[in-house]
Amino acid sequence: GAVVSQHPSRVICKSGTSVKIECRSLDFQATTMFWYRQFPKQSLMLMATSNEGSKATYEQGVEKDKFLINHASLTLSTLTVTSAHPEDSSFYICSARDGSPPLHFGNGTRLTVT
Amino acid sequence: QKEVEQNSGPLSVPEGAIASLNCTYSDRGSQSFFWYRQYSGKSPELIMFIYSNGDKEDGRFTAQLNKASQYVSLLIRDSQPSDSATYLCAVTGLIFGTGTRLQVFP
C-alpha cells in the first residue's frame, strides 16, 4: 500500500526559531500533498494544499508567511514553521493521495515550542 | 462553510456489542465519504470509504450512506477493546469532523 513518511516525529524548539517538517511519499508519486494541524481533543484542520511545482493553497486564517510550504518534487513536501511561538505547539500531519481518494497519512510531527 | 458534524462522545459499549457512529455533513454535493480511526497521539488510519447510497461491509465494519439525509454512519460489530479510539468522519477526504471517541470495555 501507499506509504507516507513524515520526519521528524517529535521536535522541541525555542520560541523564535524555525522548524522544518518533511513529508515523503515512498512508493508513489504525489502531485498533491496536504498539511493538517491538530490541537488536543480537536479534529484535523486542513492548513494548506501543496501542489508539486507551484505555490501552495492556504486555507482561510492560515498565515502563508508563517507556514512556508515547498513541494519541490513529486515525492517531497516540506512545511517550515517560521519564528515559532508556544501557540504553534501542535500535532502536524501530512497526507498525500496517489491520484484519487483516500488520503494516506504520515505519522505526524509533535511540535513543542518552549 | 462546509461542515462535518459528529458527536464527540465518549460512546461506551461492552465488548462484543455493536458500536454505531454517526456523522452528518452540510455540503449536499459531497460525493465521497471516509471513516478513519485515530489512536491517541497517532495519525489517522483509513477504515472504510463509501461513495454510493446504501451499505458497504468490510469484515466487522459496515459503512452506511444516505445522501438524501446527508448522513453517513459506521457500525462496528463484535466490538473489541482494541477498537477503543477516536473515529473521524471525512467528506471528500479533506474535511474532517471532530471525531467520536469510542470506548469498548471488557
Side-chain angles (χ1 to χ4, degrees), chain A residues 36 38 43 101-103 105-107, chain B residues 34 36 38 43 46 93-94 97-98:
Chain A
Y36 288 84
Q38 187 177 35
S43 189
L103 294 173
F105 284 90
N107 288 330
Chain B
F34 303 82
Y36 289 84
Q38 186 176 26
S43 276
L46 180 70
L94 298 181
T98 54

Side-chain angles (χ1 to χ4, degrees), chain A residues 40-57:
Chain A
K41 301 192 182 208
Q42 295 187 24
S43 189
L44 292 133
M45 185 192 80
L46 180 64
M47 298 175 66
T49 301
S50 167
N51 298 295
E52 186 267 337
S54 64
K55 291 183 178 180
T57 302

Side-chain angles (χ1 to χ4, degrees), chain B residues 34-77:
Chain B
F34 303 82
W35 282 101
Y36 289 84
R37 177 173 61 196
Q38 186 176 26
Y39 292 108
S40 181
K42 304 293 185 182
S43 276
E45 53 180 328
L46 180 70
I47 298 175
M48 290 191 68
F49 57 89
I50 185 168
Y51 296 162
S52 304
N53 275 329
D55 295 0
K56 179 181 179 183
E57 186 175 319
D58 184 1
R60 295 188 296 115
F61 299 97
T62 299
Q64 299 175 317
L65 174 61
N66 184 322
K67 289 186 178 180
S69 300
Q70 293 177 242
Y71 84 78
V72 57
S73 61
L74 178 70
L75 300 178
I76 306 175
R77 289 182 299 281

Side-chain angles (χ1 to χ4, degrees), chain A residues 11-17 19 84-89 111-114:
Chain A
V11 59
I12 301 173
C13 70
K14 292 186 177 180
S15 185
T17 61
V19 173
H85 288 94
E87 58 265 31
D88 298 323
S89 299
L111 170 63
T112 303
V113 184
T114 62

